[in-house]
Structure formats: C-alpha cells, structure tokens
Amino acid sequence: ILNVEQSPQSLHVQEGDSTNFTCSFPSSNFYALHWYRWETAKSPEALFVMTLNGDEKKKGRISATLNTKEGYSYLYIKGSQPEDSATYLCASSGSARQLTFGSGTQLTVLP
Amino acid sequence: SQTIHQWPATLVQPVGSPLSLECTVEGTSNPNLYWYRQAAGRGLQLLFYSVGIGQISSEVPQNLSASRPQDRQFILSSKKLLLSDSGFYLCAWSVAGGVSYEQYFGPGTRLTVT
C-alpha cells in the first residue's frame, strides 16, 4: 500500500446502529496514525493519535484500534447519533512531519 | 490556549488573478505550519509546510507559493490563478518536535476560480 486508503467512501446508518470504518496505510516507515472528524462548515477535529501496534483509544462512543504490522486501523462508533454525521479522516505520518491523509469516510446517521 | 485564524472564509476570483490567503496562530511559539487543499471529491493534499521563519517545503509542484514572514504567520499566494486551483484550503499547525505530530486546523477558505 503506497497511499492511505479509507473505506467505505460513504455510509448511511440508522440512529442507534453501531458502525466501523477502515483505514489502510503503508506499514513501512510508520510513526503515527491519526483520526480526525470533519463536520460540514467546521475545521477537522483530532480524535485520536496512535503509535504502537495494538493501541486502542476510546472517546465516549468512539474507539479506534491500530495494527502497524499489517497497516490498518479501525474506527468504531457505538450507538450512532445524528450528531455523529461527519467525514472521518485518517492520516499516517512517517519519520518526517507530514501527514498523508486518506479521502475520508462520509458518515450520515439517519434519525 | 492556542487558536488559529484564516481569512478570508470564502473567495471568488477570476482565472489569472492573484491570490493571497493568510493564516495566523496565537498562543504558541515556533509552531510547524501547513497548507492543505481539498479539491472537489478528493482528500486533503499537503501543499506546503514550514518549520520556521523563511523555511518552506513544497510537496506538490504548482503555481502556488507560500511564505512565512513571521513566526506565527503563514501566507499562501499565487500570481495567476488557474481553474484547477479551486478548492477548500486549510491551514494547520503542530508543536515543533512534537512526538505525535498532531495537527490543529483552521476554519478554512473556500476558493472558487471562475
């Protein structure tokens, strides 16, 4: 994998459903994996930064896992709410300071 | 606390006109600064980053340029805009030498080149 790839590109779920997205990234020269939440008309907001293989982070109903050996991360949302509707971006950083972003997963939670 | 400002929020410019977008950060010193662009239907693309005054690294060859005249000021410019320059431009900062390189984004500028 040369780039950061996210799937699915978009997702519609019903309020109360749990859901998850995938982020794939180059496992070589890896330093950190970032998840951002980007609501319409707002700035991207940092959710998690993970560096170690097996890392798990949680913030409320949102959690994320990291597998650096195989180069993937999952973001989970438990009991989705309409306010969770946003684009979720992941980004990988190597030893340099730059983040390489995926194209994002656009989540719509239907009431 | 740290804050990041960008202006203008929206801009409509004709092809061939110049561009200047400004970004300033408050509440921190010697930040790393970044310019990103999101073109329609695409992800965030890093355009420039800076680790200090006058130090600019370009990630993508294009007709845009960046400058950092002061520690917490980052400017994105173009002498002649192209239609393909349309998009959403985001400025971001991070702590210099930060172990996680977490970046904090400004509110963005929506640029439409007509």
Side-chain angles (χ1 to χ4, degrees):
Chain A
I1 298 174
L2 299 178
N3 296 314
V4 178
E5 299 172 356
Q6 291 187 247
S7 63
Q9 186 175 10
S10 65
L11 188 59
H12 289 71
V13 301
Q14 289 294 135
E15 182 176 354
D17 288 350
S18 295
T19 187
N20 64 85
F21 329 130
T22 303
C23 173
S24 302
F25 55 89
S27 54
S28 61
N29 197 32
F30 169 84
Y31 189 86
L33 192 285
H34 303 239
W35 280 102
Y36 286 84
R37 166 195 164 90
W38 194 2
E39 291 182 74
T40 303
K42 295 185 177 180
S43 310
E45 172 196 356
L47 289 173
F48 305 113
V49 180
M50 296 179 288
T51 57
L52 299 176
N53 185 45
D55 260 356
E56 291 189 32
K57 294 280 181 83
K58 186 175 181 181
K59 184 183 292 187
R61 294 179 290 99
I62 304 177
S63 60
T65 61
L66 178 66
N67 183 321
T68 60
K69 293 183 179 180
E70 297 182 34
Y72 65 83
S73 175
Y74 294 132
L75 186 79
Y76 301 91
I77 302 179
K78 184 178 180 181
S80 302
Q81 299 297 309
E83 57 265 31
D84 295 329
S85 297
T87 296
Y88 291 83
L89 297 171
C90 77
S92 173
S93 63
S95 55
R97 294 170 178 81
Q98 300 92 306
L99 296 182
T100 300
F101 281 86
S103 298
T105 292
Q106 187 174 8
L107 173 68
T108 304
V109 182
L110 304 170
Chain B
S1 63
Q2 300 88 4
T3 55
I4 178 169
H5 305 277
Q6 273 186 256
W7 64 92
T10 60
L11 193 58
V12 180
Q13 293 281 99
V15 169
S17 64
L19 172 74
S20 181
L21 303 181
E22 189 161 344
C23 170
T24 59
V25 181
E26 296 177 358
T28 187
S29 296
N30 194 31
N32 294 332
L33 297 172
Y34 309 84
W35 277 112
Y36 289 90
R37 176 173 62 198
Q38 184 190 39
R42 305 187 67 176
L44 281 177
Q45 179 185 38
L46 179 64
L47 301 176
F48 301 96
Y49 72 94
S50 171
V51 299
I53 295 174
Q55 300 179 63
I56 309 294
S57 295
S58 173
E59 290 298 300
V60 182
Q62 58 217 327
N63 69 318
L64 299 172
S65 62
S67 62
R68 186 170 177 174
Q70 298 181 49
D71 181 44
R72 290 168 290 176
Q73 183 185 29
F74 205 22
I75 298 172
L76 183 70
S77 305
S78 175
K79 292 182 179 178
K80 289 185 178 182
L81 283 169
L82 306 172
L83 284 174
S84 58
D85 291 324
S86 293
F88 191 65
Y89 289 81
L90 281 165
C91 180
W93 73 274
S94 68
V95 174
V99 294
S100 65
Y101 306 141
E102 186 168 334
Q103 295 184 11
Y104 304 92
F105 288 86
T109 296
R110 173 75 59 191
L111 172 65
T112 303
V113 182
T114 60

